[in-house]
Amino acid sequence: MELENFTAALSDCLGGGEMVLSTETRAALQSSIVLLKARERFASVKLWGRIKGVHRDYYIAQGFGKDELKEKKGFYSVDNCVSFLELPKLHPVTAASAQRITTRFTGTATHEYTVKEPGPSESDPPLDLPPDVEASRITDDNDGSPTVTSTIKEDQRLAAVVAAIDYECASVPRGAFMRDGANNVKPVSTFRGLSLADSGKMQCYVHFREPTKERSLSDRAQQDKILDFLDPIADDVPEGSWYLQYTRGGAIALVKNTIWPGYTGYHVPGTNTFGYVYNGLGQRNQDLAFMLPNPTDQE
């Protein structure tokens, strides 16, 4: 959520129930994010959320350039938002290994995890990995079935989880962003919010990421190419991974994700107030398949 809106959004839009900050943490956050924005020369800085650790929590902030999809950098704090450190940049192989960890975060960024996973087969082409990634991996094929043991630091795991939640969950109301002639994604200055009726429709919310869905020619003909370039969350699989609810007597629409419990998108219909926040353990819901209704039971 935007720096200038985060206090109002936490208390008014989310009712203080989705993410509660102490007075000291709020004061530190308002100060440290202003400094972060000035130091890194960001166009905007947003509070992404909090991942709860056993000993300490991680507060996550994101800074954006002119293009909010392409120019994005993440930061974390373990001292209740007094200061922020940049999240490490990860090689895709390291990120994939980090997402295999299922235990809780400890709250210590230097904590190391040992991850074992199946290694490449003889028919697989060799991986061309950077030296630092190669050094963190040990391959053992003594028993005929190769395995790879990787050492992952907790700040690397944190970066991988934040990126995964961003990719799968970050969502905004349809029409809030546009792609201009220079192919930059920027907020629509004339956006005045969804209507009350549309705010209750899942297809009126889109993923805030580079689009991945292939659109047919008929779909393209019916859509506005400037506004309809993002993927609707209604198309996500499995069906039932998203749900909508209203709070404050229908004044605020909340969009929640069941794959990553703790994610909440919010929007005040008829206004340009919207955003999202994550407040959870940073653990994927591995039991979702058992929680969703069986389609054959509904026939």
Side-chain angles (χ1 to χ4, degrees), residues 83-122:
S83 61
F84 282 88
L85 300 174
E86 184 176 350
L87 286 169
K89 295 178 175 60
L90 299 184
H91 189 277
V93 170
T94 303
S97 298
Q99 291 192 54
R100 287 177 170 268
I101 304 169
T102 58
T103 57
R104 283 195 61 182
F105 281 86
T106 66
T108 303
T110 55
H111 177 79
E112 292 186 345
Y113 298 90
T114 300
V115 180
K116 291 187 177 182
E117 54 191 304
S121 64
E122 295 182 356

Side-chain angles (χ1 to χ4, degrees), residues 138-152:
I138 300 175
T139 303
D140 181 10
D141 55 359
N142 293 333
D143 57 357
S145 55
T147 59
V148 175
T149 302
S150 303
T151 300
I152 305 293

